[in-house]
Amino acid sequence: MQSKPTTIKEIARILNISPSSVSRGLHDHPSIGAVTREKIKQLAKSLNYEPNKAAILFQKGKTYTIGVILPELSEHFFSIAISAIEDEAMKKNYTVIFAQSHDRYELEVKLVEKMKNQRVDGLLVSISKHTCNFDHFEKVNSFNIPVVFFDRIPPLKNVHYVASGLESATVKAVNYLLKKGHRSIGMINGPGTLYASEERKDGYKQAITFNRLKFDPSLVINCDLTEQGTIDAAEKFLKHKRKPTAIVAFNDYVALFLIKHFKKMNVIDDFDIVSYANLPIISYLDHAPVASVEQYPYLQGQKAVNILLDLIHSPNTENQAYYNTIVDADLIVNETNY
Amino acid sequence: MQSKPTTIKEIARILNISPSSVSRGLHDHPSIGAVTREKIKQLAKSLNYEPNKAAILFQKGKTYTIGVILPELSEHFFSIAISAIEDEAMKKNYTVIFAQSHDRYELEVKLVEKMKNQRVDGLLVSISKHTCNFDHFEKVNSFNIPVVFFDRIPPLKNVHYVASGLESATVKAVNYLLKKGHRSIGMINGPGTLYASEERKDGYKQAITFNRLKFDPSLVINCDLTEQGTIDAAEKFLKHKRKPTAIVAFNDYVALFLIKHFKKMNVIDDFDIVSYANLPIISYLDHAPVASVEQYPYLQGQKAVNILLDLIHSPNTENQAYYNTIVDADLIVNETNY
DNA sequence: GAAAACAGCGCAAACGTTTGATTAATTTTG
DNA sequence: CAAAATTAATCAAACGTTTGCGCTGTTTTC
């Protein structure tokens, strides 16, 4: 009942040739005659030969495996991104292993170490919310394992990354609201420490001043992204002397809390909301955001993995160039509103 | 700048002992003296020695890797399940590799083959919608690689699986609606080929007859789970001579389409809807389902991986017992309705 | 027609680790 | 005190594949 996988040695024994010839034959090496080559290939097929990957990996010192570390797989953005990574890696015959940092710095450090020990050929990372120190990645680099960051990227110069252009997307979002006639626009931003918050704020400012309006800092409220934090921010807007008529929410979760609260307060119709997409079904809500910033997680995943494979295959000479790829985010106007 | 990982050989050379002693020393083999053992361990630590996994795998013929094949990672249920699988495997020092079948039978076959070639120690599978033939799993079994199915399981006796008890959960759901006073309850079921459809139907029937009501087959409509299919089913209910006042939807997507259509038709208030949870934020909808069947994906993932590890570690003698684990699903009444 | 080129294949080492068999030195036993 | 047992370490093979080098015998070249 139990089968043992066929090996090159076995094929060699049956054909009365050397294992090396079999290996070369299977790889179309020129120094193997066409007749022998075909015999080898035929027998291999009929015996259902499959190269023992473990042996090849070991021999070549390559694993044909890329590691992915991200904060939380259950977040829609990441589940789509890793889906893309897997699809793309699969095409190139690479295997993906992954692990979640659950947004904890110490765990992330351990995972990076583990991936290194697994001898992954390269690493794709979206850093945890609380990662401020990046030495663990330096260590990986010193083992000549390339690292590409995506989405949540560190504020460093000398790294490869793929991220979305949140600043220009925010400009688009605010412009859209301005064009709709809004003159006082609020923004519920994330914690000030996040790079993503900075980008949103900069985009907001840029759009406001470009349209010759005055930037009012009190209209941009930092928030811890919890439900309570969102409610607090909402209340500030409701009591604001220049009560906004539109709000840019940090993400769909915030938008959700906001909508819930505004409905409860019976003021939902006083606001147009724009958000950054990460909950696919939010557009089904009754008072869904009028527009969403789409960050194309699938595309980001694709680009990140392709860059990584590039780095893996490029000669490991000192390549001084760093890939800094921005995936343009688009403003999607929600058509299903009725 | 570039480091080469430390090997056992190097440690042996430095300490002037044989590689085998180093290996045994690191593994606390009794035939290595305490002094030597400590010297070995110290040097290993200071040189940052990490065993070359590829070499060990190769040598032992084990990979300490489990493969996961599932239809679609972006489905919430699966993203949670694989998250659990990863967490649990991580604890036991196993690595997870995964691939998506995208609900295509041929791809699934290929992936199973690929996993086999990767020499995974075990396989966790949620089968594709269109898989009716299961020979590809037999093949894996013949290589002594255990397979545990979860959630979407094949209708076979001699397999290990973890799945949720949809039948009894459906009984609970229908009972709940009956207790709320509904006397005509519709069900939008999936395709008849799916085992999950059968279970739902059986549960429905059971609850109805147990409550001494007559089972009306025309109130259970099979549907292809698309938006149009859902609309067609909804229309049938609206024109039904015993127009139902409550509907059990196959899943949250169907519920979503249903709600959308009923709102458009302005009949949303005529219905109570119960669904099977897979969209976390559906409860935020204005006319959300009054209750949801929770299938505990995290728990299912956990159980599945633990069973698999059991099988991997159990002596590969003919273990005639099959793990058939049912994770009870619960009816969660949606409190946020107001 | 001798030298050079080439086609077709085998030999052997290498990758890092584990492990059964073996040896040598020491200690225990009767 | 010789024989037996124990301790501590080494040797060598093995896992499956790849690859540089070397070896034949044939064909081409001038």
Side-chain angles (χ1 to χ4, degrees), chain B residues 193-212:
Chain B
T193 51
L194 253 59
Y195 183 58
S197 300
E198 208 178 312
E199 281 192 289
R200 282 172 173 80
K201 190 176 178 179
D202 288 349
Y204 176 92
K205 229 190 251 180
Q206 204 178 306
I208 292 289
T209 55
F210 183 82
N211 283 275
R212 296 164 199 286

Side-chain angles (χ1 to χ4, degrees), chain A residues 227-274:
Chain A
E227 179 155 12
Q228 190 53 51
T230 304
I231 292 175
D232 293 346
E235 283 300 318
K236 280 187 199 160
F237 284 136
L238 289 175
K239 291 173 192 145
H240 201 279
K241 57 180 190 285
R242 291 181 57 219
K243 197 180 103 180
T245 55
I247 291 176
V248 179
F250 184 84
N251 62 26
D252 274 349
Y253 294 98
V254 168
L256 203 60
F257 301 145
L258 195 61
I259 292 167
K260 197 173 157 192
H261 187 67
F262 278 175
K263 277 204 290 204
K264 200 166 160 193
M265 296 286 113
N266 228 346
V267 295
I268 185 69
D269 290 324
D270 303 351
F271 293 92
D272 270 353
I273 295 173
V274 169

Side-chain angles (χ1 to χ4, degrees), chain B residues 6 17 48-49 56 65 70 114 117 166 194 215 234 278 310 317 321:
Chain B
T6 314
I17 57 180
N48 239 312
Y49 168 75
I56 298 176
T65 298
L70 38 73
K114 221 191 152 193
N117 297 345
L166 287 179
L194 253 59
F215 168 65
N278 42 10
D310 255 26
T317 60

Side-chain angles (χ1 to χ4, degrees), chain A residues 16-27:
Chain A
N16 246 319
I17 56 180
S18 76
S20 42
S21 296
V22 176
S23 172
R24 287 190 237 257
L26 290 169
H27 289 88

Side-chain angles (χ1 to χ4, degrees), chain A residues 26-254:
Chain A
L26 290 169
H27 289 88
D28 293 323
H29 193 279
S31 82
I32 299 295
V35 191
T36 320
R37 182 177 2 104
E38 286 316 310
K39 269 203 290 188
I40 293 169
K41 289 196 174 179
Q42 270 192 25
L43 185 61
K45 193 158 216 171
S46 79
L47 287 184
N48 240 314
Y49 168 74
E50 292 292 346
N52 181 333
K53 247 198 168 179
I56 297 176
L57 306 186
F58 168 55
Q59 211 276 138
K60 293 206 163 184
K62 271 199 64 172
T63 57
Y64 293 97
T65 298
I66 64 179
V68 181
I69 296 176
L70 38 73
E72 200 69 54
L73 196 49
S74 50
E75 271 191 35
H76 186 251
F77 181 93
F78 291 120
S79 79
I80 298 287
I82 201 171
S83 175
I85 291 167
E86 198 263 324
D87 288 347
E88 205 65 16
M90 170 97 175
K91 277 188 211 159
K92 308 280 171 66
N93 260 302
Y94 272 73
T95 301
V96 174
I97 73 178
F98 75 96
Q100 309 174 65
S101 69
H102 296 298
D103 267 321
R104 283 160 44 200
Y105 167 70
E106 317 79 35
L107 187 52
E108 186 182 283
V109 173
K110 270 191 199 161
L111 291 176
V112 170
E113 179 78 7
K114 222 192 149 192
M115 295 274 183
K116 195 202 74 197
N117 297 345
Q118 292 256 3
R119 311 286 202 272
V120 293
D121 289 347
L123 213 47
L124 243 37
V125 181
S126 198
I127 61 176
S128 100
K129 245 176 232 169
H130 306 108
T131 303
C132 313
N133 182 302
F134 305 95
D135 293 350
H136 45 312
F137 298 116
E138 286 301 324
K139 216 168 160 189
V140 174
N141 267 321
S142 81
F143 276 83
N144 217 40
I145 299 174
V147 179
V148 175
F149 296 94
F150 71 101
D151 192 52
R152 302 235 209 122
I153 61 176
L156 301 174
K157 283 288 152 211
N158 50 345
V159 296
H160 309 280
Y161 68 74
V162 176
S164 59
L166 288 179
E167 184 173 332
S168 73
T170 305
V171 171
K172 289 181 204 169
V174 175
N175 272 338
Y176 170 76
L177 291 173
L178 290 172
K179 215 166 274 172
K180 271 194 93 178
H182 296 282
R183 279 300 164 267
S184 176
I185 299 171
M187 169 176 262
I188 301 187
N189 209 354
T193 51
L194 253 60
Y195 182 57
S197 301
E198 206 179 314
E199 283 192 288
R200 282 171 173 81
K201 190 176 178 180
D202 288 349
Y204 176 93
K205 227 191 254 181
Q206 204 178 307
I208 293 289
T209 53
F210 183 82
N211 284 272
R212 296 164 199 288
L213 295 171
K214 214 183 119 210
F215 168 66
D216 179 351
S218 72
L219 282 174
V220 176
I221 300 180
N222 285 105
C223 153
D224 61 358
L225 307 178
T226 63
E227 179 155 12
Q228 190 53 51
T230 304
I231 292 175
D232 293 346
E235 283 300 318
K236 280 187 199 160
F237 284 136
L238 289 175
K239 291 173 192 145
H240 201 279
K241 57 180 190 285
R242 291 181 57 219
K243 197 180 103 180
T245 55
I247 291 176
V248 179
F250 184 84
N251 62 26
D252 274 349
Y253 294 98
V254 168

